[in-house]
Amino acid sequence: IVRDVDRPGSKLHKKEVAEAVSVVETPPMVVVGFVGYVETPRGLRALTTVWAGHLSEEVKRRFYKAWHKSKQKAFTKYQKRWADASKASDGGAPMAAEIERAKKYCQVVRAICHTQVSKVKIGQKKAHIKEIQINGGTTAAKVDFVTGLFEQEVKVADVFSQ
């Protein structure tokens, strides 16, 4: 980056200077679930975890030491339960019991997000997973906000202001 120096008394005053910068490539993160925490006298305790209906291969790789040797069965039963609940005759939302439990008892809600490593050319296939705390509003509003973001991309620009 080239900029003008404004330091009276310096040899560089009113001169252009080239400064080194780092450009960070940050593809959007994907929300794949949430964790609800209860405050106890000894700190936070995880009460419930709800995952999205579909997890990408990048995330599933994170749960295995050797992906190529495994049968790759992580979350297959969970996905089946999710699909059965979503096409039930009553039209109920999947994992409704866990979501209601989180709304009723939890004080802290954190979204489980993962990076999209395939969009960055670093020769890695395992996604990085991170919990990001949701603030503002009631617990029910936080849970509704996170469940609305399930399987959606969240850009860095949406999270941070300039």
Side-chain angles (χ1 to χ4, degrees), residues 122-136:
I122 57 172
Q124 182 178 338
K125 294 180 182 176
K126 270 187 192 180
H128 302 97
I129 298 178
K130 183 178 181 69
E131 281 185 12
I132 301 173
Q133 187 156 318
I134 308 297
N135 293 324

Side-chain angles (χ1 to χ4, degrees), residues 5-14:
V5 177
D6 184 32
R7 269 189 237 133
S10 170
K11 284 184 177 179
L12 297 173
H13 183 58
K14 293 188 176 175

Side-chain angles (χ1 to χ4, degrees), residues 23-29 115-116 119-120 154-157 160:
V23 178
V24 180
E25 190 178 0
T26 54
M29 292 185 84
T115 56
Q116 297 184 63
K119 292 187 177 181
V120 183
V154 179
K155 296 184 180 78
V156 176
F160 295 105

Side-chain angles (χ1 to χ4, degrees), residues 82-96:
W82 185 276
D84 292 345
S86 60
K87 63 180 164 188
S89 59
D90 60 349
M95 306 299 150

